[in-house]
Amino acid sequence: MPKRTLIRGGEVVTPTDRFRADVLIEGERITALGDGAQWDADTIVDAAGCLVMPGGVDTHTHLEHMSANGLTRTADDFHSGTVSAAFGGTTTIVDFVRARPDQGMYDAFQRRLESAEAQCVVDFGFHPIVPPTAGDATFDELARLAREGATSWKFFMSYPGTMVDDRVLIQGFRRCAEEGVLPMVHAENGTLVADATQRLLSDNQTAEHQHHAAHSHVAEREAVHRAVTIAESVGSPLFVVHVSSRLAAEEIARHQARDFAVFGETCPQYLLTSYEDYAGLGFEAAAYVCSPPIRERANQEDLWHALQTGVISTLGTDHAAFTLSQPDDLPPQKPQGRGYFPKIPNGVPGVEDRLMVIWEAGVVGGRFDVHRFVDLVATRPAKLFGLYPRKGTLTPGSDADVLVWDPAADHTITAAGHHTRADYNLYEGMRVSGRPRHVLSRGDIVVSDGELHAPAGRGRYLARATSDTSR
Amino acid sequence: MPKRTLIRGGEVVTPTDRFRADVLIEGERITALGDGAQWDADTIVDAAGCLVMPGGVDTHTHLEHMSANGLTRTADDFHSGTVSAAFGGTTTIVDFVRARPDQGMYDAFQRRLESAEAQCVVDFGFHPIVPPTAGDATFDELARLAREGATSWKFFMSYPGTMVDDRVLIQGFRRCAEEGVLPMVHAENGTLVADATQRLLSDNQTAEHQHHAAHSHVAEREAVHRAVTIAESVGSPLFVVHVSSRLAAEEIARHQARDFAVFGETCPQYLLTSYEDYAGLGFEAAAYVCSPPIRERANQEDLWHALQTGVISTLGTDHAAFTLSQPDDLPPQKPQGRGYFPKIPNGVPGVEDRLMVIWEAGVVGGRFDVHRFVDLVATRPAKLFGLYPRKGTLTPGSDADVLVWDPAADHTITAAGHHTRADYNLYEGMRVSGRPRHVLSRGDIVVSDGELHAPAGRGRYLARATSDTSR
Amino acid sequence: MPKRTLIRGGEVVTPTDRFRADVLIEGERITALGDGAQWDADTIVDAAGCLVMPGGVDTHTHLEHMSANGLTRTADDFHSGTVSAAFGGTTTIVDFVRARPDQGMYDAFQRRLESAEAQCVVDFGFHPIVPPTAGDATFDELARLAREGATSWKFFMSYPGTMVDDRVLIQGFRRCAEEGVLPMVHAENGTLVADATQRLLSDNQTAEHQHHAAHSHVAEREAVHRAVTIAESVGSPLFVVHVSSRLAAEEIARHQARDFAVFGETCPQYLLTSYEDYAGLGFEAAAYVCSPPIRERANQEDLWHALQTGVISTLGTDHAAFTLSQPDDLPPQKPQGRGYFPKIPNGVPGVEDRLMVIWEAGVVGGRFDVHRFVDLVATRPAKLFGLYPRKGTLTPGSDADVLVWDPAADHTITAAGHHTRADYNLYEGMRVSGRPRHVLSRGDIVVSDGELHAPAGRGRYLARATSDTSR
Amino acid sequence: MPKRTLIRGGEVVTPTDRFRADVLIEGERITALGDGAQWDADTIVDAAGCLVMPGGVDTHTHLEHMSANGLTRTADDFHSGTVSAAFGGTTTIVDFVRARPDQGMYDAFQRRLESAEAQCVVDFGFHPIVPPTAGDATFDELARLAREGATSWKFFMSYPGTMVDDRVLIQGFRRCAEEGVLPMVHAENGTLVADATQRLLSDNQTAEHQHHAAHSHVAEREAVHRAVTIAESVGSPLFVVHVSSRLAAEEIARHQARDFAVFGETCPQYLLTSYEDYAGLGFEAAAYVCSPPIRERANQEDLWHALQTGVISTLGTDHAAFTLSQPDDLPPQKPQGRGYFPKIPNGVPGVEDRLMVIWEAGVVGGRFDVHRFVDLVATRPAKLFGLYPRKGTLTPGSDADVLVWDPAADHTITAAGHHTRADYNLYEGMRVSGRPRHVLSRGDIVVSDGELHAPAGRGRYLARATSDTSR
């Protein structure tokens, strides 16, 4: 007989509803919600004064991420990364699989799966990355992966050596349409970015913060439009990751208004930090380097607006942690690009902070309500990436990934206190009033009152279903 | 100890979720959802093969509606109208209160309440209608009504004798903002409508179908824009009832895109019938006469588009039943305007058909999914009109207004089979595959397998809270 | 045999062309352009180094303008006003006729015509102002005036006692359509303005600069949309005078994009001065008070943008000069409203400055070229108001209203140097590099090197033809 | 002493003006306009009852055009093509120069120039075509050509072997910006077109009319947006040739609305013929094959709308004549692609018909006035392509390229009557009421009353100045 856990006394929140109810968990699943006075349980989790929400779903992480050239790797492995996620209330991540040039997609997937299974403390899935050389054979392998639950594929429209041309986009999106796969794009016109980079270098504008100048707003808008056009041409939906520019958001809105199934994700770093934060820094500007870049402060309000009007559907992190110092046990980190921005490893940490900072700026800040919060960080990503109804919701039958959220916490975010291996935090010193008190993953209490109770390897691979792109 | 009812074996559907669960009702309220194998109950409702949804909420009915000049009245009283609603799966209506010129608002409300309490079989609320003469005294009375739960006020921008000028809109919307009331507008520029009517009459274009020619698309767009501007000026949200024109929908979309809180309702008659259906008829065209008018077929697709892209938030009926024949026991009905369209009583029936025809054309027709259906017909109107969480949802603590919906029914809509006193049905002969099997109102089974089990007067007045206009 | 005048050695500029040519004038008309080496003439005007352009056409002046209540009058009469115009290079004005409540339109027109004929030094026309009480009889009189050349009628949508309701707009625009008349609107929702004014007064916010707060952007947008809708409904074009808000400009653009014939005018004061210029002033803020108000600095760039993209078609001045001091020989001027903004006479001077300041900020400032300049200040207003080809162009057959413009002048605008009776100048101290050297009206040199050569009364009434609204 | 010609008694029309005037020509240039009663002349051209307009400027012809693979050539050489142009009232053409893979741009230009100089009967210029392999050396050669008057460069975004990638667009547009050159694009996403073609072939959909299916609207929209983005990134203006899709026109409009300098051309075949005209034909559908394709009838009205609202700036022809039969003296013509659309030479004739058919459908049809006509077919292309003021206008000093246009002609367009070597005419049987009576080129009467008076080789190369992109 399965273990029974009762979350008692909280207020359940979903994208639609908010109600006082106890949540009964039997084994790994939720079995009932309601007045649980008569329900007995092995374990009682006290949720008094708390909101009870589905565990966070972050569909954009880069753990144990090797650079395309094989020369560097992110600071977080699957263990430190998922521990950090769990502390932040995120109980599902979807990460990426990239094959080395000499490697098949399926083989790459297997090795990545093994590593993740050995280390993860919460559940995980994978988006395969479509290589620039992809042809029929590659797509056949990818289709096999789709049948094994990798039902979203990532296409890079930028980065030398990784960016795909229109031929691959067309062929790839068509295969997505055929296989029920959701295509995702990193939307920047890589040729424009490369050209701007080259011109900056020619002008000796190599300082860390110049990374920003290499990535124009219009390069992002262009890629969005092109990807939409190709998706539309072959009949697939489209997911645009890390929308950073108001022009890209407007472009997405324009196509949504004619009912084209395009979805956008943005990330906390684009909403809460800005170019002005690092324009005046020296090497420390490297802490902010990611692509698309963290943009001007004036751009933030337009991104929030896109969230508020529903143009942006999900919040991911693009968590790719690198250190500002150079630890001995890690390959080259941020210092690799000291004084020469093209060599700075791209990426910022954030998997642990996502819910706290967005709660603070979004819900406490009056930009949207708690329903929209749950939708952005859990339900919508789960639906779009084929995880629903196992993840992203609190209903009888769904996985008991539950977040007991204390809206009256008083917590200050610091690098000293976080659990990623990154040695800095973009939100250093930010005071937040909402924070996970207990985090459950498939019925297990994995974090409780700031303590971890989860062995490495308890996380499981999630074979994902087809995307639900209804709105 | 309260009566316990268990709805067993169905699949619960909300705007967000869909899951197999039994629903436990104790007394008038839902107390738990989940695996109810261990739950005992006095009554078991079999929901096998069915969807279990919140009962329909129709925030736009005109029962026992007296014309402004006192010369006619709708065919349905509160009894026949709410019986018809219940048969169609609607367990909440919000109707209107209009004071006679010589009558105070509060007095009008009291008399209306008495009549409704004596007759209604499901729960009900009221929107007071703001008179054209409204000044401080009237608004003070309206504010009193708001405190008693009439938290939405209707402003007519058209109809001689009823339409309000900009002064009343400004003062009225400001009071709405101050009192937490949602202002609703009938959005047509009444001066344009009156002018077009006069010109048709001058040209002897008096046939029934000419009603259509008197109500231009741009007259509707104009009123929407003016109402938005005034709402924006005084800081209130805005609800536009019965959006009929694609131009009005576009206008609403434009202001939503800049995050202004404007909401739109449309009605089944605008989506499923068209001017082409009555342009060639003689007197029978009167069956289609309502304002704004039922528009051209080409307009329908744009309205559906507005539903699909979220521009339209709710579906009401504007149910105002008149008969095509002239029964002895009713004041003048449609025949009053035979051959002279300005005298045709405005209004069409539909409170019973709403869910069935929209399920068929919307969900079965592939335009949106079942989640959106529930949102349009129940949850969103409940939220916008301060009825949530009592109505419009299925959560522990909410009223047990439950619809057990058979998605495999095979029903043909006919006037012979409906329960309104209207002697025609706009959807005559339409085959629908979804239909209520059981309808519960506050835990009572009011309709079951086509039989009514509800005494007149069991319906209760709903003191509504403030509108929830978050999106 | 008529007098022959030859303008020699200049460069002729039109909205399309720019070419070196001599201009031959015989009597009042131009007869040839080209190489005039063989052409003899009685008078030679030296245009070496100069541009030769059509004389300015200002279709928006208020000279000898009596307030609606009869209590005040502008400082400029027809003489001082047209002298000021001529010094600024403007050779045609179109002013207004308003009937007193007890007066017929035709009679009002006759008296106004007599006064103007006695005083004007350049040619003039009139726009009748449609009174709020207008019905068939008034429109019949207006139609008679249209046949006598008053082919544009002004409708005020704001100002108590002057603003017309939708009924008058509908009936009036329809008569315009029937009579070939161009309807012009002062586009502000007067009820919103009155309400905002009342609230400011209730709050004791009566300081001069609060005039700005009483006139919102959205009140202007609303009126534009309503006027467009009504014009569209009856089949007339529409001209919106003094567009001041970016929201109004956007509204016009939206309807132009669907090819509706709506045209906009703006004025130099909205482009070159801003609320920030008077927000901090005391009584002197009265110098800036006009309606719509001079808006925020951030609004200027959007108005320039509307000029550059062609959304705004003409530049008028709305010249209505009042003095900041109170001369003995004038009725109450700006001091009337000291400390109480509703009593400040609305209006600013500018008829003399228009070409100079717009040349400086527009052409010298790189916003548009000299062709567009000529179009904005002369050709387009002449076409839209039925003055073309007599005015607004330099072609054989047209009136010899010629401006010899020195683009290498160095002039500083001052109240001390201008010729209006206003005792201040909004552009005080502005250095401009373009200025009239010679100004000809029907072949007469009326201003030359800063000297006036024009007797009062030489100006003639212009019976205008139908508007040319082609674009 | 130069020959003096006097065009007497006509009405001169320019984009701004319309006036009765005689036009005096001395040698090759216009010297005066006006009342020419006193002007003597060697030759009098009677223009009574006629409009006198600048000769047509067609900036988009393909005469003596060799296919990229060297296997075919258009039917018209420079002689037959310019004779056809002259008969149609066009006195300036701008054609293209493409280098063979083994050939330098400058060499290709020289050979093309020699051929044109030997044959043309009217003046001509060239747009060099930027090859897909272009790098610094090629752009240096192109810059040299720009200094010799080839101040616009063509970039193909479609066609295998010809289409350029983003790198070339970026580098090329930047050189354009540096050299004062106007970049022109054939805007279709060539990868999407190739993909669609391949799929049609795989499905055995090879019939002639399937050419249409291979070229989607969105492929054209995509290329417009990408080209705009790149132009914007490097600071150049942009000219989009042969806009065929309403989506492309909307895209252009969107960027013009924010004042970006993008201009569009369309061609008569897109306005006056449609897919429906050839969808049902067999091989004869080849007559309509050009790229972008002639689109659906429903698209025409939106293109006219774009002309009317000013979104489209010029009308060219893309004249590329091929025969439906296969003459012995020509390389493979349309029959080459019988039954297999990818082999049909792309192109349609039209250089002779342009003015007549657009006058009929545009001016006579009430879509725009005669001023806009002159602007579209002569003045605007002259300005945009650096030909103004020599061409495109009738002012003292400009070339005497004059069209004496009979607006009361009654002419039927037929292949039998035209002067191109094409053996069909898309407008066969169309009756037109406007037609050239006399055509002058640099003072020579080259066509008069249907007779040619122009020796081969009288046309001269036009070294063009920098584009005037002011609006």
Side-chain angles (χ1 to χ4, degrees), chain C residues 153-222:
Chain C
W153 302 344
K154 175 81 171 284
F155 297 76
F156 281 90
M157 298 175 75
S158 190
Y159 291 122
T162 303
M163 68 183 269
V164 297
D165 62 15
D166 288 1
R167 185 194 59 77
V168 173
L169 290 174
I170 295 168
Q171 191 176 354
F173 288 8
R174 183 175 288 126
R175 284 303 285 265
C176 285
E178 290 165 358
E179 307 289 345
V181 163
L182 180 66
M184 309 158 74
V185 287
H186 173 127
E188 290 189 285
N189 181 309
T191 313
L192 279 170
V193 171
D195 176 78
T197 301
Q198 201 48 52
R199 289 173 70 82
L200 287 161
L201 301 185
S202 303
D203 293 350
N204 283 318
Q205 302 293 320
T206 65
E208 291 79 357
H209 73 92
Q210 295 290 3
H211 173 78
H212 171 264
H215 296 255
S216 68
H217 286 264
V218 296
E220 188 176 345
R221 184 192 69 198
E222 193 286 320

Side-chain angles (χ1 to χ4, degrees), chain A residues 16-17 257 305 369 383 388 393, chain B residues 16-17 257 305 383 388 393 470:
Chain A
T16 295
D17 290 309
H305 178 85
D369 66 12
K383 289 193 168 186
Y388 182 91
T393 190
Chain B
T16 295
D17 289 309
H305 178 85
K383 290 193 167 184
Y388 182 91
T393 189
S470 62

Side-chain angles (χ1 to χ4, degrees), chain D residues 428-446:
Chain D
E428 185 76 26
M430 180 173 174
R431 259 176 101 164
V432 295
S433 52
R435 194 191 182 194
R437 182 176 293 171
H438 310 289
V439 181
L440 285 80
S441 166
R442 278 181 285 101
D444 297 339
I445 299 169
V446 291

